[in-house]
Amino acid sequence: YSTLEHGALAVSHPDQTHEKFINMCKSQSLDQWIDEATSVGKSIWRWAQCNPIKVGLMVIGLGISAFKANAIGQYMLSAAAYFCAWCRRQPLLVRFWGFVALMSVRLIVSTLLPPTSPGFGIIIQAATPEEEKWTAMPCFLLASAVAGAWPWIF
């Protein structure tokens, strides 16, 4: 709930959000920020040294995604087109659970490839029949909440 409240506050009162951000930035000197960034970098390096297999898999995955970006993009395009066509034929309740599944996939894909995140909202818009477009945003928000709750439910 606090995350939703924080997000809503940032959207509804951007002036306050910017002011808090500026105050937070001014709360420490440049040297303190550099020390903090150095500390984070050292922590990441220690984690990488303790987890060489995970690091190796991450590097291999990044390499494959960069090398095969075009093929991956074409696959995602065809999968999205199929999903959109399927959703348009479904009643709202079935379509909503399809959106939950899509948002669950989004949690994984967008963690690995952050620039893909906005694409999922576009897919939901495209997957909603024209006469029910008003349901796209509420379904997107609710499906995202349900998908985000899966780790705590299970």
Side-chain angles (χ1 to χ4, degrees), residues 4 6 29 33 44 67-69 94 121 126 132 138 145 149-150 152:
L4 182 60
H6 175 73
S29 70
W33 283 113
I44 292 170
F67 183 68
K68 293 289 189 180
V94 175
E132 296 179 16
W150 286 134
W152 285 275

Side-chain angles (χ1 to χ4, degrees), residues 17 31 83 89 94-95 98 101 106 134 136 146:
T17 304
D31 289 337
F83 180 79
R89 296 189 305 265
V94 175
R95 187 169 58 247
R106 174 186 179 221
W134 68 270
V146 172

